[in-house]
Structure formats: C-alpha cells, structure tokens
C-alpha cells in the first residue's frame, strides 16, 4: 500500500510550456484534491474530485485543468506555464464524508516542486 | 468565509522544553472540523489529529496534546519535552462540513526549531 504517489518530484519548465503532474492513490479513496503551497504560506485548494468523471474548482483554479477518468488517478494539467505557478504541488485523497456532514481526513502525497523560468 | 490564523511564524526552543503552537479560526458554520498537520524538512505532510466542532475534549497522544476551545475559536497544540525530531512546520487547517467534500483551509504554518 503506497498511499498517495506523485510524479515527478521536481521539474523546471520554461514560460509557456505545458506539463501534467501525476497523482495516484491505491487506498480506493473516492475523493481526491490538488493543492499548491507557495513559500511561507499554507496550502490552497486548486481542484478536487468526488469520483471518476466529477471535478470541481477550488480556491485557485486559474491556469490549471484536471480530469478524473479512474478512481486511482487525478492528473493536474498546466497548459501555459507562468512564473506565478512556481510552487510545490500536493495531491491528497480521502474517503467520502457521510451524510450529516462528517468530514474524513485527507492524506497527502510527497509533493511535486515546480519551477517556471 | 473561513479563515485560520497561526500568528507565530517561527518558534525556537531548546530540547526538552514545552512549546505551544497557537491556532485561531473563523467560520460561520456550526459544524466543522479542525486538523493539525506536520511538514518535516523532507517536505511531506503528515496528519496528526482531526477534531469535530462538537467534541471539545482535550486530546493527548504521547508528548502531543491539543486544547480545543470553541469559546475562543482556538485549537492549540502543545509538545511536551520537545525533541530535535519535532523540528518542522506545523499547519492548522479547518474544513466546513457541508455535503461530503472536505475542502481544507490552511493557516500559514508555524516553523518550530528545536535545538540541543
């Protein structure tokens, strides 16, 4: 049981290039999330998904796209990289909450450090 | 809108000292969840605790303890007899409990440095 895995660990992009950050989980979690962490800051939610084929925007979705074709994978796409997207990206997953508002714990991957020059 | 404030940017202590990390939150919801995560120098995020708004009991886990006070909207974290391995950035986070998706709002973190 590897938990949440992310690839690559580190990447340098040139302005205008595109790339996909990969995220996979083997815990059979329905919910998956993408966050970014800027230096000295907390994490901010980019996108999340409550199941295959269902995604929704978080707090900072501009410049990113996501898809969820399987329960296990939740890739994050940067189409036109900009210096403002230099950050550490974290993927997380959780089991669904229950009716009545129970919230489950999110478990995080190791992160992908992205530098856009 | 939800907000989490960790006013202590950085704390330095000598090993074996006790240290308390403060967390103050804002929410309009009556049902919510609070979390603490640890981010060691290696960079990953490690889950420490989850607490719902209806459970104000303090919790102790080894050298770690948490004090939840709804009256002051605080969820403070105390490390007793700190060790060098406790050196990390600690994040407090808040999640509303609407529907079933848990969207975490994080504080800016407190960097704890424990020295010999």
């Amino acid at each position: 049981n590897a938990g949440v895995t992310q690839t690559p660990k580190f990447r340098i992009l040139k302005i205008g290039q595109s790339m996909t950050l990969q995220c996979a989980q083997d815990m059979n979690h329905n919910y998956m999330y993408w966050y970014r962490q800027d230096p000295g800051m907390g994490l901010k939610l980019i996108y999340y998904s409550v199941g295959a084929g269902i995604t929704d925007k978080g707090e900072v979705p501009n410049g990113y796209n996501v898809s969820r074709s399987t329960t296990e994978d939740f890739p994050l796409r940067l189409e036109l990289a900009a210096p403002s997207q230099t950050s550490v990206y974290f993927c997380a997953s959780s089991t669904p909450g229950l009716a009545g508002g129970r919230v489950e714990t999110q478990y995080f991957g190791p992160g992908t450090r992205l530098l856009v020059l | 809108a939800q907000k989490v404030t960790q006013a202590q940017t950085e704390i330095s202590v000598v090993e074996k000292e006790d240290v308390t990390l403060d967390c103050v939150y804002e929410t309009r919801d009556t049902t919510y969840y609070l979390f603490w995560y640890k981010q060691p120098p290696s960079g990953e995020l490690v889950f420490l605790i989850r607490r719902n708004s209806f459970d104000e009991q303090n919790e102790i886990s080894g050298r770690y303890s948490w004090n939840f006070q709804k009256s002051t909207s605080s969820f403070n974290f105390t490390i007793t007899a700190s060790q060098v391995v406790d050196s990390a950035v600690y994040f407090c986070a808040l999640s509303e409990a609407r529907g079933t998706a848990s969207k975490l709002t994080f504080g800016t973190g407190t960097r704890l440095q424990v020295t010999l």
Side-chain angles (χ1 to χ4, degrees):
Chain A
N1 191 334
V4 180
T5 57
Q6 292 183 239
T7 56
K9 289 184 180 179
F10 176 67
R11 181 79 181 267
I12 299 175
L13 278 184
K14 294 182 179 179
I15 294 172
Q17 285 185 323
S18 62
M19 78 163 293
T20 299
L21 282 66
Q22 301 292 344
C23 173
Q25 53 88 15
D26 62 0
M27 298 177 283
N28 202 31
H29 285 173
N30 283 3
Y31 289 5
M32 296 185 75
Y33 311 81
W34 274 106
Y35 293 86
R36 59 177 286 173
Q37 182 184 23
D38 298 328
M41 302 295 290
L43 282 69
K44 293 189 176 181
L45 182 65
I46 305 172
Y47 271 96
Y48 67 98
S49 168
V50 300
I54 306 170
T55 63
D56 205 350
K57 297 177 181 178
E59 183 182 357
V60 289
N62 292 344
Y64 307 95
N65 280 301
V66 293
S67 60
R68 183 97 180 270
S69 57
T70 68
T71 300
E72 294 78 21
D73 302 296
F74 190 38
L76 177 71
R77 178 83 177 163
L78 282 71
E79 292 294 348
L80 291 170
S84 60
Q85 294 178 305
T86 293
S87 191
V88 180
Y89 291 84
F90 287 96
C91 179
S93 72
S94 72
T95 55
L98 299 176
R102 176 182 167 91
V103 167
E104 297 300 330
T105 299
Q106 292 182 30
Y107 294 94
F108 286 79
T112 292
R113 185 175 297 274
L114 177 65
L115 181 60
V116 182
L117 300 173
Chain B
Q2 299 182 118
K3 185 178 180 181
V4 176
T5 301
Q6 296 180 256
Q8 305 152 306
T9 304
E10 189 161 347
I11 301 175
S12 292
V13 298
V14 176
E15 200 174 42
K16 298 183 183 176
E17 285 185 3
D18 299 346
V19 59
T20 295
L21 310 182
D22 297 333
C23 173
V24 175
Y25 62 91
E26 296 176 28
T27 179
R28 294 181 179 177
D29 293 334
T30 55
T31 303
Y32 51 88
Y33 283 72
L34 294 161
F35 299 79
W36 277 94
Y37 285 87
K38 174 182 179 180
Q39 187 175 43
S42 51
E44 73 273 23
L45 280 159
V46 179
F47 165 71
L48 296 177
I49 190 172
R50 178 185 75 194
R51 175 70 65 193
N52 75 52
S53 54
F54 296 108
D55 183 0
E56 288 193 71
Q57 280 192 335
N58 292 334
E59 178 146 345
I60 299 174
S61 176
R63 297 184 296 107
Y64 294 172
S65 62
W66 290 268
N67 180 250
F68 177 30
Q69 292 195 344
K70 286 181 76 170
S71 60
T72 57
S73 297
S74 64
F75 187 42
N76 297 337
F77 173 31
T78 297
I79 302 174
T80 303
S82 60
Q83 299 177 1
V84 172
V85 293
D86 295 326
S87 297
V89 180
Y90 291 87
F91 290 99
C92 181
L94 168 69
S95 177
E96 60 190 10
R98 298 176 191 172
T100 54
S102 163
K103 290 175 278 186
L104 291 171
T105 298
F106 281 82
T108 52
T110 297
R111 181 178 299 277
L112 175 64
Q113 185 72 40
V114 182
T115 56
L116 294 172

